[in-house]
Amino acid sequence: MRGPFRRFLMPRAHKAGAFCVGARATTKLSLLKAALFAVPLALTAVILSAAVIPTVAVAQIPGIGGPPPDTILIGADSTGLAPELAEADSSAILADSRAILADSSEILADSLEILADSGKVAPKILPVISSGVGPSYGLAVWSWDRDALLSTRALTLAELVALIPGVITLRGGDYGTPVTVMAFGAGGGRIRVFWDGFEWLPLDGGVPDLARIGLAGFEEVQVERHPGELRINLRTREPISPDPATLLQVGTGDLGTSILSGVFVHPNVFKGSFTLAFDRLETRGPGLSAGGTLSGIGLRYSLAIGDRGGIVAEMRRFAPRTEVLNLATGLTRNDWNIRARWRLAEGLIGEGYWGASSLAGGPEDPIYGGLDTRRTQLGIRTQYTRGNLWAQGTARKFSGHGVPGANLELAAGSARGPVASLDGLLRVERWASGYYPSWRARIETEQLWGFSLFASYEDGETGAPFVSEYEAYLRSLRPGPPFQGDPLGRPRPRFTDRTGIRAGGRFSWRGIHLSGAGLYMEADSIRPLGLVLDPEGIASPGGDRLGFEAAVSMPIPFPWEGFMLQGAVQAWDQDLPYLPRRLWDGTVTYHGVFKESRNLELWGGLGVTSRYLMPIGIPEPGGGAVPNLIVVPRSEEWYVHIQVRVVTLNLFIRWENVRRKADNIDFPDRQQPQARTLYGVRWTMNN
């Protein structure tokens, strides 16, 4: 697209550039009050239980309904039998009557239990503002609901997102060190996290440090993988049944690794519903000399007002710690918000919220002890749904250095229409220097003879947080020699302009799914991560790249059903920072459900993930005027995961890097664990 038409559609891009607690209230009762209360209740229970007991059973209870129609009355005149035979028959009938009476008592007890259960009221659930698009490979959306989160091998959010083909993790070491994810070499400013619509802003870099987000307490995790953006949507768990429930995960393993996380949901606390989530993952690290912890807590309280809406207050606090040298520790992140959500009309939901985020160091930290990066945001969200059509609007206003002043998003689409699913989004960011728009559109046709087609296009300019004077301030706090500036000798751009195209098709037949797509990407520059992982990172020149991706999922014809072969590959004509030329993964999985009750379930998987050599946004030491970027070695990790569910108890075991490849690293001198075995339980309990 060139000329005036391109400038009209893409105003700033005409230049070069998954699918898926309060204490219980107590009341003192006198003996007389208790009796006055218990007697009517017992009589009412008997009357109601008689109403729900089957008629035949009621008729068999002595003194209630008389004898059954086929009962033979005992007596010489009526039977014509000898007295001894009549006596024997009467004994048998008496025994049968006692059995019937026992059965009647059991039925009565069951009816009392039903009566007690009938007094439970399901909690009121506030209207949900969904993302509008469901899981789809063609639309590049992956999703995990509550059950899927229980069955996955991932222990952290970064591990979960990395299960998506084409997404890689960038880790600073073992648990406790910074970690983020990347797709299509998006770079700083293009990894976005939303927590119930509240934007989780990066506070110490250009991308979010996912070590500061625990996985416990989420109802759903949805990821959209676009050529120009990776978007992670998190929805907090809330009670859906009248009984409290607890999810507990406990595990241990090599390298001194221990896991403790849990979720407690209660439907009736101070007339509202309550959710408590906590995470704790601890390790001694590679060589047992680089310990670290991930620990955090989340709270949610929801109060329904009538049947149309209510208010919600949420808080999360997470504090990763590490003993690895030259990595910041002691930083605690706090996020909280309070919101009001209401069903304004049939199909129309509105929400307003206000919240804040902060990242602060403890007073004992000589470098970060005085660092406080509080950022606030005020937001309004609406969603309108009519049939399979939907539309959303979001406006957010931010305060503080290094973040946009505001952004506006408008999205609309059709979900699973008779011909196709399609949607589009327009976003405008306001920075001090002006307004910067970007937009995207995508479509996926419905299957016809097993075939479906899909395509997506996006273009626009996006700002990266934490550059300019504020980034220089953060750099001044880091240990080591002063930063010498960009070796390229030009200002570091705040904005990146990017165009992306993805188009392909999908074929499904008898459990076999084959997918493929062509890829095109054009970027004027790629921002560094801005984390402590690449403190000397530079904004790299972009370029245009051509590539393709393919995925397969098919059953394996073993004598036992349930085995699947899954694989995916992504390839490019040339690499870019954080974009290797080849990415691929393959897995043999098994899933089976046993027993008529379906109370025994088994998952298993043997797989590998691999990427080629990858340049990162750090220049080689002693480079020239245009330095070369550091390239990290090829990575390959084989793993095994087994999990068994017995009713609500899940037992799992996983082996990491079973081939013990020693040079799986994402940054120079940032050692990864060579191998590890983890095992534990995940247990859901209804209280």
Side-chain angles (χ1 to χ4, degrees), residues 422-441:
L422 58 92
D423 77 306
L425 180 143
L426 170 66
R427 179 169 68 235
V428 179
E429 295 182 349
R430 178 172 63 82
W431 296 79
S433 57
Y435 294 86
Y436 300 87
S438 60
W439 67 277
R440 66 170 175 260

Side-chain angles (χ1 to χ4, degrees), residues 171-173 324-327 532-535 578 611 614-621 629-633 663-672:
R171 300 163 292 183
V324 177
L325 297 176
N326 299 327
L327 288 182
V532 71
L533 297 176
D534 62 347
Y578 306 111
R611 61 159 173 79
M614 180 179 68
I616 60 177
I618 304 176
E620 291 182 347
L629 297 179
I630 291 178
V631 178
V632 294
D663 59 347
N664 286 340
I665 61 172
D666 301 323
F667 296 92
D669 304 320
R670 300 299 182 193
Q671 186 181 2
Q672 302 286 346

Side-chain angles (χ1 to χ4, degrees), residues 147 150-151 247-250 601 603 642-653 680-684:
D147 293 335
L150 276 176
S151 63
L247 170 62
L248 188 64
Q249 179 173 250
V250 181
E601 194 168 8
W603 297 268
I642 300 174
Q643 181 167 320
V644 180
R645 177 185 64 85
V646 181
V647 191
T648 61
L649 179 65
N650 291 262
L651 301 94
F652 69 88
I653 182 170
V681 298
R682 295 167 174 158
W683 196 358
T684 302

Side-chain angles (χ1 to χ4, degrees), residues 1 83 112 200 211 280 286 430 501 504 531 539:
M1 300 174 65
L112 290 173
W200 201 86
R280 175 86 178 175
R430 178 172 63 82
I501 302 175
L531 294 174

Side-chain angles (χ1 to χ4, degrees), residues 58-67 101:
V58 174
Q60 292 175 350
I61 301 177
I64 295 182
L101 182 60

Side-chain angles (χ1 to χ4, degrees), residues 119-171:
K120 298 179 180 179
V121 179
K124 294 181 180 179
I125 305 299
L126 269 61
V128 176
I129 298 180
S130 64
S131 63
V133 179
S136 167
Y137 179 87
L139 299 179
V141 179
W142 285 260
S143 181
W144 292 265
D145 59 11
R146 183 184 303 185
D147 293 335
L149 289 172
L150 276 176
S151 63
T152 179
R153 65 184 177 92
L155 298 176
T156 66
L157 180 60
E159 291 178 349
L160 182 72
V161 177
L163 298 178
I164 298 173
V167 177
I168 59 176
T169 54
L170 300 172
R171 300 163 292 183

Side-chain angles (χ1 to χ4, degrees), residues 244-265:
T246 300
L247 170 62
L248 188 64
Q249 179 173 250
V250 181
T252 188
D254 298 335
L255 306 181
T257 305
S258 60
I259 308 163
L260 176 61
S261 67
V263 183
F264 173 72
V265 293

